[in-house]
Amino acid sequence: MNEPTADLNHPQLPRRPLGPPLSEPSCWHDIRVTVNGAPVCAQVESRLLLVDFLRHRLGLTGTHVGCEQGSCGACTILVDGVGVRSCLTLAVQADGSDVRTVESLAESGELNRLQRAFHEEHGMQCGFCTPGILMSMTALEESSEVIDDDAIMEHLGGNLCRCTGYVNIRNAARRACLRERSRPVDEGADRDA
Amino acid sequence: MKPAPFDYRAAHSVAEAIRLLGDGDREIKVLAGGQSLLPVLNMRMGHPDVLVDICRIPELGSIDVDSQEAVHIGAAVRQAQAHADPRLRSGWPVLTEAIGHIGHPQIRNRGTVCGSLAHNDPASELPAVAVALDAELVARSQRGLRRLNAADFFDGPFSTVLEEDELLTEVVFPRQPAWSGSSFQEFSTRVGDFATAGVVVRLERAGDVVSAARLVFFGVGGSPVRVAAAEQALLDAPVTPSSTAAAVSALEEQLDPVGDIHATAAFRKELAAQLAVTGINQAWERCA
Amino acid sequence: MTPEEEGPAPFIGRSIPRVEDDRLLRGQGRFIDDLQIEGMLEVAFLRSPVAHARIHEVDLTAAAGLPGVVAVYNAAALVGRVEPLLNSEELRIPEGIRSTIDPVVRIQPMPLLASGEVNYVGQAIAMVVAESRYLAEDALEVIDVRYDELPAVIDPEAALEEGSPRVLLEAEDNIGIHLEHGTGDVDQALRSAAVIVEDTFASQRYVPSPMECRGIVAHRDPFSGRLTVWSNTQTPHRVRGHIASCLGLPADDVHVVAVDVGGGFGQKGILVVEELLIPLVAQDLGRPVRWTEDRQENLTAGSHAREQIHHITAAADESGRLLAVRDRFVVNLGARNMVGLVVPYNSLCHLIGPYRVPNVQIEATGALTNTMFTSPYRGAGRPEATFAMERIMDRLAAKLEMEPAELRARNVVTPQEMPYQTGLLDRRGLTQQYDSGDYPEMLDRAVKMIDLPRVRTEQQKARVDGRYVGVGFAMYLEATALGPFEGAKVSVLPSGRIRIHTGAPSQGQGHRTTFVQIAADALGVEMGEIELVAGDTATIPFGVGTIASRALVTAENAIHQAAVLVRQRILDSAAELMEVDPADLEIADNQVVVKGSPGSAMSLAELMRAIPMTQGGSGRDGLSEVSYFQPPNYATSSGLHAVVVEVQPATGRVEILDYVVVHEAGRIVNPQIADAQIVGGTAQGIGGALLEHMQYDEAGQPVTSTFMDYRLPTVDTVPDIRLAEVVCPSPTNALGVKGLGEGGAVGPPAALANAVEDALSPFGVVIHSCPLTPDRLWALLRAGRATER
Ligand SMILES: Cc1cc2nc3c(=O)[nH]c(=O)nc-3n(C[C@H](O)[C@H](O)[C@H](O)COP(=O)(O)OP(=O)(O)OC[C@H]3O[C@@H](n4cnc5c(N)ncnc54)[C@H](O)[C@@H]3O)c2cc1C
Ligand code: FES
Ligand code: FES
């Protein structure tokens, strides 16, 4: 596998088998995770980041990478129901966990209430930050019966967006998530901030 | 950037973890929440051979109050879990408040209380809280068990007295006596940023006067900085504008922060003084 | 103006919800790093860790032998194969500027991989191609390079001093650009002026920081032999041209596709070495190859922006009427002059903005330094110029003891003076002429919206309580609709649906919605029947791209023109088939209908099917038209930011109490999208005003190379922003539209600095630069207090 590169001045054609980087030097692990409801068994190398596992091994490219240092929030997903940075989590650490990504949100095929609010309030431009923001807000929505403006601001605080200036993101999040009392029975009902 | 290769081992008991850590030939790092370690690895600023994941050790995952009413926080307890704990909120409110200032909810969902202490970022909140509340840190290795006072634990920026083979298994916060009160104050540029400067104040009250005082600053030195002269200035008198002024004037000599791109040393010092005033007054009000 | 005068309500002017959202909300976007091609290799770059050095022996042997490494390149591997990079379009000097101003413009081409010398931290030295990014980075760690360090120059004014070390050994000195331009006689005006103010105002270095970093995938199709390149560029046709000439391929054999782009803001609008290297590797290896920039690379080795220092003088008569402005400014170009005159000249021709200034003298110098090169970023020279001009206006108001809004009111050009000529040359080298605008009205609106008299009263009251409130204004113009052209192709598909192709892709601006609104109006069909493909070079032969607030004006007018032609072809060919007069036909519900008898109709699909069966009809080769639009002049947009702040003197913290933007951008196609563009731009401007600052230490090491240190605005930073609109349709194009993409970013640094200075006027603080961080303000306050008596 390790033959050195041939003469650089002469273009070379593929000579090695294609496929995942089996030449990985660190050790491998078998993991089992549930991803968006589906059981997944996979072999991962120790150092593989959870976000790369999702994006490049499972093809779930909705979760984005904006910094790989935990500071932009683009890679936010749910692990066992809480929002985490998938760039600061190893795939192997997720062994045994329930993982949910943005691809799970429109469960019925229709956009859910949160997604619709982002569309209606124009809470996105390029859409690169959007999956992370949707997952941060999903975590908040599911975590608590009563959600006030402070909670919304706190949960949006770690998600950077360079396009929108946040104003419409705030409006969308308020529209979808603010609730003074317990969860509405009619999930589909929109409510204004 | 992506991390350099390493091997990952999940420990399932403390015994297994310290056995793994005891392999002196390789560079081994404890992996707790990973919220400080992984950014370092992702930037390839560290090249450990092995990471030992301690978050799957059941015995480290709980918050317990013992018969002395001290609270034990295990090394696998996430900051979010501690933040939500009603016993901590009522018995050690500054700890809860401090955790609320760490990054963002998504960081606290994975970061651990003990990981923050072991990491000892000079601008981080929890080491100062540990010092102010006289916490005890329990370290275990194959060589045995050490109980360390927070006051002796932190020994410089990103450095503690933990040995390479030692695992911090828990932090213990003693019961806060009656007639004591604490306050947590922090200034940061943006919400969620590491502190530009901050202080944890703890006062005890006997009758009308301060009988014990702790002023522990963070973000203004390599480690939590306790300023004994300022504490001294508060003793044996009620908290008044003049006693706080005396305490603050001691800071001028005792604090020696470093400046960086975000704040000059002089500004950090000024903030520390302002926060101390607010903190002293709030802690005094809370002494009940 | 639409062809359907009597028809249904036009789509233009309506807040149609965006059609692009659905996919993005489901996580089904297709960004560069989302592409999955069987067998794709990943690239990582070794970048210079030092600001200036001679380099020797870039030894790749160990790297080449590591697991998973497929190829390694250094400069030696490229010798004789590729030329250094030149952004040729950006570097052209318009004839009028050359003949009248005769600027010094020295260009330093960028070697694709450094050879012999590195002259900024982040410069690419070697490239590893491996089975994964992880493995490629492993190999970087074992590449051996010897650096003989040379002195580095970081400060642009120091770089211009006699005897400064040279930034680039082969350059004759550190000057990349020098020019002088003006009108009238400034010296004479200064002699007769009642008041003269003079000061230095600087804009700091920014990183545009789109949330998606740059990226590129290249693959040579083994069947056709053609090279396909997916890039998150703002200018796909330019990228195609450069790749083709770099690799010696015919342009038709290079197919560039812009995929979903996670924000560009200018950083993805200029050509970079990586965009040439990745296709080269794909050609060499016969395998798909990807480079995804990471954040650290983006912050240190993705183009930077802004950094300018202005030494500006303004003179007025005793009533505050401007007599003259003189400005001498220095632009930090970084390690090379990559985009020629673009930014300095943009600063120059936007400096006086909305004001009537009879005598102007401007000298611009571009300095080379051992830092990342700078290039246009949202505003591209305008925010820097606006900062200088709007700060000096407030200094002038202070000296005259006049309300800053009143000083502005006395000096703005009035609608009656439109089209207004400044006496300067514009970027094309032609007479600069503002096409339309109503600046007095904008001022009036802003003053009313923030309720200036009330703010002044509260300011007085607050001071009594030890609270410091201030108000600031900033006005600016934006010459939009940069040429030379943009193209559009509008086609009826066999199904009867319509497809539009244009060269201007979207980085989040919602082109799939706004461009379709224009086409729907011109064609008279529903928006749902029309789709847009933007930025695919295979589908339209020529294009320019989405930069410089130009896409909306140029592409929409091209689409409008093409759609009007297609509509006529539809009517003509249907008329032939239906044997009626084309004038009796109309298009409704995707059908061609005989007016007044809805029973006789032919669907567009039927029409398409009939065309091949009809000999010599008007439909000859289908129903498709290509049209190119060349803007005859700039469409001048304008904006006014008014902000009220409170500053805590103890901590230097600034709180925004009210933020108002009044903007004028001609006819608005989609108000919701337009408003969001303005808010988004304003937020970036607020970021620079309060937080963002790309810094180097004295040795030329970048010290803000993560998002922990390069601080972007967060949800807590940006307040709600109140908007108002003034409409002056542009006479330069049929739709009356103007560009507005950049505008929002221009005003905030000046407006906030003015407001903060106003709040702190009791302390005698003068703001010379941003960001207004607590630390910097506190230091100014302390200095102010020290001199206070
Ligand atoms: C965006 C962002 C913002 C942040 N903001 C803040 C902030 O404002 N304030 C703040 O304090 N922190 C902040 N953090 C850091 C966060 O609090 C970390 O969680 C914490 O510092 C480390 O805890 P951890 O469990 O993640 O430890 P890890 O990252 O897993 O480990 C950190 C270090 O400690 C060692 N270690 C961990 N646990 C043990 C143990 N039990 N025994 C021995 N060694 C151990 C590790 O080997 C490693 O060297 C931020 C992080 C991010 C990504
Ligand atoms: S990519 Fe994970 S936080 Fe930025
Ligand atoms: S919409 Fe582009 S980054 Fe948020």
Side-chain angles (χ1 to χ4, degrees):
Chain A
M1 286 291 280
N2 299 359
E3 56 184 302
T5 302
D7 183 354
L8 289 170
N9 290 319
H10 293 286
Q12 56 173 200
L13 290 170
R15 273 185 269 128
R16 297 158 204 257
L18 305 182
L22 296 175
S23 35
E24 166 66 26
S26 66
C27 68
W28 292 73
H29 306 270
D30 290 317
I31 61 168
R32 285 163 182 274
V33 277
T34 307
V35 180
N36 297 341
V40 172
C41 297
Q43 275 209 322
V44 296
E45 56 273 45
S46 294
R47 60 169 160 171
L48 185 69
L49 300 176
L50 181 54
V51 68
D52 288 332
F53 175 68
L54 294 170
R55 291 174 48 75
H56 298 312
R57 298 281 162 84
L58 303 187
L60 296 171
T61 54
T63 303
H64 295 153
V65 176
C67 71
E68 296 172 311
Q69 292 162 0
S71 46
C72 77
C75 67
T76 307
I77 58 168
L78 300 194
V79 175
D80 295 330
V82 301
V84 308
R85 304 288 205 237
S86 57
C87 72
L88 296 189
T89 309
L90 300 172
V92 56
Q93 281 179 291
D95 186 19
S97 306
D98 178 61
V99 171
R100 275 152 64 203
T101 68
V102 66
E103 287 90 344
S104 71
L105 292 186
E107 232 172 346
S108 63
E110 297 281 298
L111 297 183
N112 73 14
R113 204 159 60 97
L114 180 65
Q115 291 168 308
R116 285 204 310 277
F118 274 77
H119 174 60
E120 284 152 13
E121 295 286 344
H122 189 20
M124 53 196 289
Q125 290 181 25
C126 75
F128 193 80
C129 66
T130 312
I133 290 180
L134 292 175
M135 297 318 281
S136 286
M137 295 325 292
T138 302
L140 173 65
E141 272 228 290
E142 294 179 359
S143 71
S144 156
E145 292 291 299
V146 178
I147 297 172
D148 60 12
D149 204 51
D150 290 348
I152 290 176
M153 290 294 278
E154 180 174 36
H155 281 75
L156 286 174
N159 287 85
L160 298 177
C161 171
R162 191 55 157 167
C163 301
T164 64
Y166 304 102
V167 175
N168 290 348
I169 290 179
R170 282 199 297 259
N171 294 341
R174 285 173 183 150
R175 179 172 185 159
C177 301
L178 266 186
R179 55 177 175 245
E180 277 133 32
R181 258 163 280 112
S182 58
R183 209 168 289 208
V185 187
D186 177 8
E187 261 293 313
D190 280 348
R191 83 182 27 220
D192 284 332
Chain B
M1 286 174 77
K2 310 293 183 189
F6 52 76
D7 286 347
Y8 165 94
R9 297 293 171 78
H12 292 92
S13 67
V14 170
E16 185 184 359
I18 60 180
R19 190 171 42 72
L20 288 167
L21 287 174
D23 173 0
D25 295 338
R26 304 203 287 172
E27 188 189 337
I28 304 182
K29 278 256 165 219
V30 173
L31 171 64
Q35 302 303 287
S36 294
L37 185 54
L38 278 168
V40 169
L41 298 185
N42 284 357
M43 287 189 265
R44 292 194 181 231
M45 297 193 313
H47 289 80
D49 299 307
V50 184
L51 298 189
V52 176
D53 185 350
I54 58 159
C55 287
R56 293 177 189 275
I57 303 178
E59 53 201 285
L60 298 183
S62 59
I63 302 176
D64 301 305
V65 178
D66 67 17
S67 56
Q68 314 288 305
E69 291 178 53
V71 68
H72 298 240
I73 302 175
V77 171
R78 314 274 182 191
Q79 292 152 4
Q81 183 187 344
H83 191 239
D85 194 294
R87 295 166 298 175
L88 288 177
R89 193 171 294 262
S90 66
W92 295 267
V94 278
L95 179 58
T96 309
E97 287 165 26
I99 294 173
H101 279 79
I102 297 177
H104 308 285
Q106 299 86 350
I107 304 297
R108 306 197 289 265
N109 282 336
R110 286 199 75 78
T112 62
V113 171
C114 287
S116 175
L117 299 173
H119 190 59
N120 193 25
D121 187 307
S124 66
E125 291 82 3
L126 300 188
V129 176
V131 173
L133 301 191
D134 279 330
E136 181 181 81
L137 296 98
V138 181
R140 285 180 59 186
S141 69
Q142 282 177 307
R143 295 173 291 119
L145 182 147
R146 290 204 289 164
R147 293 183 189 280
L148 299 154
N149 285 328
D152 308 321
F153 184 77
F154 306 102
D155 70 350
F158 303 101
S159 168
T160 69
V161 300
L162 279 181
E163 300 287 341
E164 301 266 286
D165 63 342
E166 277 182 315
L167 176 68
L168 174 63
T169 54
E170 63 174 15
V171 56
V172 186
F173 288 93
R175 185 179 75 94
Q176 296 303 296
W179 302 106
S180 72
S182 332
S183 173
F184 176 89
Q185 302 293 328
E186 169 173 330
F187 184 93
S188 63
T189 305
R190 297 175 304 179
V191 177
D193 276 336
F194 275 97
T196 314
V199 66
V200 187
V201 181
R202 192 174 74 96
L203 299 179
E204 283 176 36
R205 171 175 177 162
D208 277 344
V209 300
V210 175
S211 56
R214 277 296 163 81
L215 261 73
V216 186
F217 294 87
F218 55 101
V220 295
S223 265
V225 183
R226 193 178 152 190
V227 184
E231 294 171 356
Q232 209 66 42
L234 292 169
L235 292 181
D236 304 324
V239 168
T240 60
S242 70
S243 72
T244 24
V248 164
S249 68
L251 301 179
E252 183 54 38
E253 264 189 24
Q254 301 292 317
L255 285 185
D256 187 18
V258 285
D260 64 16
I261 50 166
H262 299 303
T264 56
F267 183 47
R268 287 187 199 276
K269 211 164 181 172
E270 166 69 18
L271 285 175
Q274 291 180 23
L275 295 168
V277 172
T278 319
I280 292 167
N281 285 313
Q282 188 183 57
W284 183 240
E285 274 164 33
R286 286 178 174 182
C287 279
Chain C
M1 215 163 294
T2 50
E4 287 277 274
E5 295 304 5
E6 75 286 7
F11 291 105
I12 187 170
R14 282 161 60 189
S15 289
I16 308 286
R18 298 206 319 170
V19 299
E20 35 276 90
D21 289 356
D22 187 88
R23 212 164 40 83
L24 295 168
L25 284 163
R26 293 171 193 269
Q28 306 292 320
R30 197 173 65 147
F31 298 91
I32 278 291
D33 197 57
D34 300 345
L35 299 178
Q36 311 262 13
I37 305 178
E38 191 62 43
M40 185 149 58
L41 298 168
E42 302 268 353
V43 167
F45 285 93
L46 179 75
R47 297 182 180 277
S48 173
V50 294
H52 199 193
R54 283 183 209 279
I55 55 170
H56 308 277
E57 299 165 38
V58 180
D59 185 349
L60 304 174
T61 331
L66 283 194
V69 173
V70 176
V72 284
Y73 290 77
N74 57 15
L78 303 176
V79 171
R81 299 192 60 197
V82 283
E83 293 296 312
L85 167 77
L86 272 184
N87 272 289
S88 44
E89 282 85 353
E90 309 284 15
L91 294 172
R92 240 195 314 268
I93 302 175
E95 190 40 46
I97 291 182
R98 186 189 299 284
S99 58
T100 315
I101 303 176
D102 190 22
V104 174
V105 182
R106 296 205 197 108
I107 304 300
Q108 302 80 26
M110 177 72 82
L112 302 196
L113 293 173
S115 130
E117 178 185 0
V118 284
N119 65 338
Y120 64 94
V121 171
Q123 185 170 1
I125 296 175
M127 175 170 60
V128 174
V129 191
E131 298 287 349
S132 79
R133 176 68 180 237
Y134 291 76
L135 296 167
E137 289 183 16
D138 290 350
L140 295 184
E141 297 198 41
V142 300
I143 296 177
D144 219 17
V145 185
R146 219 179 74 221
Y147 302 94
D148 284 346
E149 288 204 43
L150 295 164
V153 191
I154 308 306
D155 179 80
E157 292 196 317
L160 295 173
E161 275 164 21
E162 201 74 38
S164 162
R166 263 175 306 155
V167 166
L168 191 62
L169 294 181
E170 73 228 27
E172 51 189 295
D173 55 27
N174 295 332
I175 296 177
I177 280 174
H178 184 256
L179 61 100
E180 282 180 56
H181 184 42
T183 181
D185 184 342
V186 169
D187 287 324
Q188 169 69 32
L190 289 179
R191 279 194 290 274
S192 65
V195 271
I196 297 178
V197 281
E198 137 172 37
D199 217 325
T200 297
F201 299 109
S203 292
Q204 79 277 23
R205 181 175 282 245
Y206 287 56
V207 192
S209 305
M211 290 319 296
E212 180 207 28
C213 296
R214 295 170 305 157
I216 184 163
V217 170
H219 182 34
R220 191 186 62 191
D221 178 358
F223 300 106
S224 67
R226 271 203 298 273
L227 183 70
T228 301
V229 176
W230 293 265
S231 169
N232 57 21
T233 177
Q234 297 171 226
T235 55
H237 283 86
R238 286 187 178 179
V239 170
R240 176 188 66 178
H242 275 100
I243 292 171
S245 68
C246 170
L247 300 183
L249 298 170
D252 318 333
D253 282 351
V254 180
H255 175 196
V256 177
V257 192
V259 288
D260 281 330
V261 181
F265 317 120
Q267 203 186 40
K268 293 171 182 164
I270 64 155
L271 195 80
V272 289
V273 294
E274 293 87 351
E275 254 160 340
L276 300 178
L277 286 167
I278 304 307
L280 175 118
V281 175
Q283 285 284 91
D284 277 4
L285 302 180
R287 283 179 65 178
V289 178
R290 165 160 58 208
W291 170 64
T292 303
E293 182 185 53
D294 65 35
R295 184 56 61 185
Q296 224 168 344
E297 287 181 288
N298 184 273
L299 285 170
T300 56
S303 60
H304 291 172
R306 298 274 194 269
E307 205 179 343
Q308 293 187 2
I309 304 164
H310 289 250
H311 304 285
I312 186 169
T313 306
D317 66 17
E318 57 289 328
S319 67
R321 253 172 274 279
L322 285 168
L323 300 175
V325 168
R326 166 176 286 157
D327 185 20
R328 188 167 57 73
F329 70 92
V330 175
V331 180
N332 189 343
L333 300 171
R336 277 175 177 75
N337 181 7
M338 293 296 282
V339 280
L341 281 176
V342 172
V343 171
Y345 206 84
N346 229 12
S347 294
L348 184 155
C349 66
H350 284 88
L351 179 77
I352 59 170
Y355 305 118
R356 216 182 295 106
V357 189
N359 303 289
V360 181
Q361 189 60 40
I362 306 174
E363 178 187 349
T365 310
L368 298 181
T369 59
N370 294 105
T371 60
M372 182 60 203
F373 60 77
T374 57
S375 73
Y377 157 52
R378 203 169 194 167
R382 301 176 184 99
E384 301 91 311
T386 300
F387 188 72
M389 186 67 193
E390 289 297 273
R391 287 296 301 114
I392 203 75
M393 286 298 276
D394 268 32
R395 298 306 304 149
L396 183 61
K399 187 136 183 191
L400 289 161
E401 294 178 2
M402 191 183 280
E403 175 62 61
E406 175 56 29
L407 177 67
R408 288 174 170 80
R410 290 187 187 184
N411 284 291
V412 288
V413 173
T414 61
Q416 294 73 39
E417 294 169 86
M418 295 291 176
Y420 177 79
Q421 298 193 345
T422 59
L424 302 174
L425 295 182
D426 67 17
R427 263 174 81 180
R428 302 167 303 167
L430 305 178
T431 303
Q432 184 177 38
Q433 176 170 306
Y434 302 163
D435 65 331
S436 57
D438 191 343
Y439 314 138
E441 170 69 15
M442 292 176 64
L443 253 172
D444 228 41
R445 294 276 281 279
V447 165
K448 288 210 179 83
M449 279 176 79
I450 59 155
D451 197 349
L452 186 58
R454 186 187 51 84
V455 174
R456 290 291 178 211
T457 318
E458 283 183 6
Q459 181 178 42
Q460 290 309 324
K461 273 198 269 173
R463 276 183 196 163
V464 178
D465 306 336
R467 288 174 41 240
Y468 295 89
V469 173
V471 56
F473 296 89
M475 287 186 90
Y476 55 85
L477 304 186
E478 199 189 353
T480 73
L482 178 70
F485 71 89
E486 193 55 80
K489 178 171 160 190
V490 174
S491 314
V492 184
L493 303 176
S495 64
R497 289 172 54 79
I498 315 283
R499 187 175 287 159
I500 308 169
H501 296 280
T502 169
S506 172
Q507 300 87 41
Q509 298 92 333
H511 291 170
R512 289 200 175 114
T513 308
T514 52
F515 288 7
V516 168
Q517 283 178 262
I518 297 297
D521 279 342
L523 289 162
V525 303
E526 286 302 313
M527 283 183 63
E529 299 299 326
I530 308 177
E531 64 184 49
L532 177 82
V533 178
D536 182 332
T537 63
T539 60
I540 174 152
F542 301 102
V544 178
T546 306
I547 48 173
S549 301
R550 64 183 302 280
L552 184 116
V553 184
T554 55
E556 286 197 345
N557 276 289
I559 290 168
H560 174 74
Q561 289 175 0
V564 167
L565 293 173
V566 167
R567 180 174 191 275
Q568 199 51 52
R569 289 186 84 176
I570 293 171
L571 295 179
D572 289 347
S573 48
E576 282 162 21
L577 289 163
M578 295 164 83
E579 296 176 344
V580 292
D581 188 276
D584 292 336
L585 291 175
E586 62 184 359
I587 302 177
D589 291 337
N590 252 37
Q591 291 192 319
V592 188
V593 193
V594 179
K595 283 182 196 160
S597 58
S600 354
M602 186 175 200
S603 74
L604 291 183
E606 283 168 334
L607 184 58
M608 280 300 283
R609 277 200 298 276
I611 283 171
M613 321 289 280
T614 317
Q615 226 177 22
S618 300
R620 294 170 318 266
D621 45 351
L623 301 171
S624 179
E625 287 283 355
V626 178
S627 183
Y628 293 97
F629 174 76
Q630 303 81 17
N633 183 11
Y634 291 106
T636 306
S637 302
S638 51
L640 170 50
H641 291 219
V643 56
V644 182
V645 299
E646 179 173 343
V647 186
Q648 284 179 12
T651 60
R653 205 191 276 291
V654 176
E655 188 191 346
I656 299 174
L657 304 179
D658 192 10
Y659 205 117
V660 165
V661 179
V662 183
H663 63 95
E664 193 284 300
R667 210 156 154 223
I668 298 295
V669 177
N670 183 318
Q672 188 184 44
I673 288 178
D675 286 356
Q677 282 292 314
I678 290 161
V679 170
T682 304
Q684 289 185 8
I686 292 174
L690 299 182
L691 296 165
E692 294 173 46
H693 190 185
M694 180 69 211
Q695 299 179 66
Y696 286 86
D697 68 11
E698 277 162 25
Q701 286 298 328
V703 289
T704 48
S705 57
T706 70
F707 274 160
M708 295 289 223
D709 291 325
Y710 188 81
R711 292 179 161 169
L712 294 180
T714 68
V715 70
D716 300 284
T717 317
V718 187
D720 285 339
I721 292 167
R722 300 194 291 141
L723 301 177
E725 189 193 340
V726 172
V727 181
C728 305
S730 175
T732 64
N733 64 76
L735 296 171
V737 294
K738 299 175 178 179
L740 54 62
E742 296 176 276
V746 178
L752 278 158
N754 285 345
V756 167
E757 183 172 295
D758 183 46
L760 298 180
S761 58
F763 301 93
V765 163
V766 179
I767 309 282
H768 295 281
S769 63
C770 290
L772 305 168
T773 58
D775 176 52
R776 295 181 78 237
L777 277 183
W778 181 79
L780 284 176
L781 275 158
R782 197 163 68 145
R785 280 199 193 96
T787 56
E788 213 180 3
R789 19 201 91 218

